Amino acid sequence: MQEPTFLILTALAGGSRHGYGIITDVERISGGRVRLRAGTLYAALDRLQGDGLIAADREEIVDGRLRRYYALTDTGAERLATEAERLRARAELATRRLAALPRLRGDGSPA
Amino acid sequence: MRTLEDRYRRLLRWYPAEHRRVHEDEMLGVLLATAEPGRSRPPFSEATDLICGGLWLRFRYTPERLRRAGWPDAAALTALLAPLLLLALTLRYALDAVLVARLAEQEVVLVEIVPGGLLTFDMFNAAPAWLAAGTAAVLALAGLRRTTAVVAVAAAVFQMVTQPWEGGTGFVTMTLRAVTPGLLLLMLAAAVLVSPGPRRAVRLLGGTGVGLAVVAACAAVLAGSRLLDLSTPLGNGPPLAATAVAGAAAGVMLLRSAGGRRAAVVLAVPLAAPLLMLGWRAALLLGAGGAG
């Protein structure tokens, strides 16, 4: 799963969001590192909807303009959980190995 | 004066109409909400992103979309019908070559008897190209996909590069000899590589459809050749009629499925090439006449 997809699904795991809401949430989750543009976001939303990972939730009109909210589907939640578990296992392995590095333990000898 | 919203709306025209109908208003809201205050033009990076997004949505072809549109079926049918057409063209050439050789033995002045130029020079120079085209067709029917693709591309290049320059005998003859088989060979090369197999093509066309296509191809060999034209009083009439009837019946069976309709469009391109060349030539002649 590519990072923007993971971030969009993670944003929607926090509740249904409209396009601008997803952009701001993704920026926050990524610590300001990823700022999705509208073209990229809507291409991703179209693909994720096609794959059944997200679905349009509800619509509202704000200042005369349509806002469509998107929500994570059960399949999307499962895929995100699998990906999160995969990343967690990797991160855990990396942390264990780093902890075993002698120079990080203060031994001073090269790895 | 154009506003930022107008400019974003223009950029959103890159998106398919269906996508715009559902998402245009929503996307405009996002674009305007994320725009820097006071900006009147979209930033270059934003414009590029929108154009790329629009093009991606217009041209994305996932395997599922391609399958639903019938393209694998079209490839299977093209991989079956293109070799039949190529074999018909090759056999037509072989018949004419034998005829010319016989007439030459009898020391008949060929150009007078066969208007349009069945020149021995032309006929025998074309032999290697037709041999390659016929080989590709046989390999395709034998189910040797990769070998077919390699031989077909090589034969197409050979046919298209060498044939038009061999003692020209008119636009239509030149096209039938070079452009039509060249394009058929290229389509065959592409089709065999992605085709789900000949069984799929036979299932789509049905036994009767395949039989009719074979009959049409055989009749086309005789109809296109000068053999009957010169040796019987009825000339090419009967085989021409048989080609038309069997070809039309096979065509109807082909048009029943979405894949068949796509295959028909694909195969119509090389077959229509001689007509297009004829039209182009007529336009050139008319232009020259008008200028004079």
Side-chain angles (χ1 to χ4, degrees):
Chain A
M1 188 183 283
Q2 292 187 336
E3 194 185 12
T5 308
F6 179 79
L7 292 170
I8 290 170
L9 293 181
T10 306
L12 294 179
S16 68
R17 278 168 176 63
H18 55 76
Y20 183 64
I22 298 173
I23 290 176
T24 49
D25 204 20
V26 161
E27 196 171 4
R28 194 179 55 78
I29 297 165
S30 66
R33 203 170 46 80
V34 178
R35 183 167 172 77
L36 293 172
R37 294 185 190 285
T40 310
L41 172 69
Y42 278 89
L45 291 179
D46 188 81
R47 183 169 45 78
L48 292 171
Q49 264 191 301
D51 292 344
L53 303 186
I54 64 166
D57 185 37
R58 64 180 198 279
E59 293 172 4
E60 62 181 24
I61 305 287
V62 177
D63 296 333
R65 212 172 285 287
L66 177 88
R67 269 187 185 174
R68 185 173 283 115
Y69 285 75
Y70 296 89
L72 205 59
T73 61
D74 290 346
T75 318
E78 264 175 45
R79 281 283 292 278
L80 181 63
T82 310
E83 184 65 12
E85 178 53 31
R86 199 177 62 84
L87 291 174
R88 194 196 57 74
R90 278 187 183 182
E92 204 177 278
L93 179 69
T95 309
R96 267 206 315 272
R97 288 189 177 179
L98 282 170
L101 271 180
R103 68 177 172 193
L104 289 180
R105 289 204 312 262
D107 292 1
S109 54
Chain B
M1 194 183 140
R2 280 216 180 92
T3 61
L4 183 62
E5 180 173 337
D6 296 333
R7 293 193 164 102
Y8 274 132
R9 263 190 208 282
R10 282 187 71 184
L11 282 167
L12 289 173
R13 286 189 205 150
W14 286 89
Y15 283 75
E18 178 59 21
H19 189 273
R20 272 208 319 269
R21 193 181 61 74
V22 180
H23 296 291
E24 183 170 12
D25 209 26
E26 178 189 355
M27 284 181 81
L28 263 175
V30 171
L31 287 163
L32 294 171
T34 52
E36 291 167 28
R39 193 169 255 288
S40 62
R41 286 174 184 278
F44 177 75
S45 54
E46 190 86 71
T48 316
D49 182 62
L50 286 172
I51 292 169
C52 289
L55 288 176
W56 185 83
L57 283 171
R58 274 183 193 276
F59 298 108
R60 76 200 148 142
Y61 277 106
T62 59
E64 176 56 22
R65 261 186 94 183
L66 286 172
R67 193 191 59 72
R68 268 190 280 137
W71 281 109
D73 289 349
L77 288 162
T78 305
L80 179 75
L81 296 176
L84 274 182
L85 288 166
L86 280 166
L87 273 182
L89 285 167
T90 307
L91 287 174
R92 168 195 166 272
Y93 161 78
L95 272 183
D96 278 353
V98 171
L99 179 70
V100 168
R102 279 197 169 176
L103 291 175
E105 271 175 21
Q106 294 161 21
E107 295 183 352
V108 177
V109 182
L110 296 168
V111 180
E112 284 175 15
I113 283 192
V114 190
L118 266 181
L119 300 167
T120 48
F121 171 79
D122 271 4
M123 287 302 301
F124 299 118
N125 268 3
W130 282 115
L131 187 65
T135 306
V138 171
L139 288 170
L141 293 176
L144 300 167
R145 294 183 184 208
R146 284 182 191 168
T147 320
T148 302
V150 172
V151 173
V153 169
V157 171
F158 188 56
Q159 196 107 22
M160 295 220 255
V161 170
T162 60
Q163 293 310 295
W165 313 108
E166 299 287 349
T169 51
F171 267 44
V172 179
T173 313
M174 184 186 94
T175 315
L176 265 177
R177 189 183 295 167
V179 181
T180 299
L183 288 175
L184 270 175
L185 283 161
L186 290 179
M187 285 166 179
L188 173 62
V192 286
L193 289 178
V194 295
S195 162
R199 275 186 200 164
R200 177 77 189 145
V202 173
R203 202 160 50 240
L204 282 166
L205 207 52
T208 318
V210 175
L212 284 167
V214 172
V215 169
C218 293
V221 174
L222 293 173
S225 162
R226 307 270 180 176
L227 186 68
L228 294 182
D229 204 10
L230 296 175
S231 57
T232 65
L234 284 173
N236 287 356
L240 208 55
T243 308
V245 172
V252 168
M253 304 193 100
L254 187 67
L255 295 176
R256 285 181 309 184
S257 64
R261 288 190 287 277
R262 278 170 173 74
V265 172
V266 167
L267 291 169
V269 173
L271 297 179
L275 293 175
L276 291 175
M277 293 293 268
L278 200 64
W280 182 43
R281 186 192 179 208
L284 281 179
L285 288 174
L286 279 175

